[in-house]
Amino acid sequence: MAKKKQAPGGTPATVALTAAGVEFTTHPYEHDPRAASFGLEAAQALGLDPDTVFKTLFADLDGELVVGVVPVTGQLDLKALARALGGSKAVMARPADAERATGYVVGGISPVGQKKAHRTVVDETAILHERVYVSGGRRGFDLGLAPDDLVAVTGAVLAEIGR
């Protein structure tokens, strides 16, 4: 089977959103390798309200890799993530496992267009915004889209998982 060609500058995330018919905007910025927080760096570089910029984090939930998408201004509540997905115990996944499972590098992991779909929870605060921003699949590249579209395209559930 032939591999789908990406448009120049495209990522698996932009290809997936385009294929799903989701309207999105692209927001490249100059990534500073010394940045302490990829998400806060994106918010600052793009002049966005940090509450609208979300980070994609991987956890191991009872032996299964799952995704939590939370505002960059907070942290992922692992107990709340486990509850939202009906599991018992979640711990942060090793970065190498997240990279292998998604095809993306840490700091550029998008909740969209991963190598295989993972159960995903988006923090419920996303719906408070007209548009949210997530990694576009590489460092220095974010995508803006409606929260409802993010939930739909990832098959996510909405729950209070940020703190």
Side-chain angles (χ1 to χ4, degrees), residues 5-60:
K5 274 194 116 150
Q6 293 182 33
T11 66
T14 61
V15 170
L17 289 173
T18 300
V22 172
E23 184 271 321
F24 64 96
T25 53
T26 59
H27 303 271
Y29 61 93
E30 193 63 42
H31 165 63
D32 179 353
R34 297 167 301 180
S37 165
F38 294 111
L40 291 174
E41 175 196 24
Q44 184 177 17
L46 297 171
L48 299 170
D49 175 350
D51 289 335
T52 65
V53 180
F54 283 67
K55 55 188 170 185
T56 305
L57 300 171
F58 267 75
D60 181 318

Side-chain angles (χ1 to χ4, degrees), residues 50-111:
D51 289 335
T52 65
V53 180
F54 283 67
K55 55 188 170 185
T56 305
L57 300 171
F58 267 75
D60 181 318
L61 175 62
D62 303 327
E64 172 195 6
L65 285 179
V66 297
V67 179
V69 182
V70 296
V72 300
T73 53
Q75 295 180 322
L76 175 61
D77 181 333
L78 291 165
K79 287 182 181 176
L81 177 67
R83 270 194 311 275
L85 293 174
S88 60
K89 183 175 181 180
V91 296
M92 291 304 296
R94 294 179 341 171
D97 292 341
E99 289 180 343
R100 200 171 19 264
T102 62
Y104 296 124
V105 297
V106 169
I109 293 179
S110 180

Side-chain angles (χ1 to χ4, degrees), residues 55-56 67 69 104 109-114 120 134-136 150 153-154:
K55 55 188 170 185
T56 305
V67 179
V69 182
Y104 296 124
I109 293 179
S110 180
V112 180
Q114 298 172 2
T120 301
V134 296
S135 176
L150 174 62
V153 79
T154 59

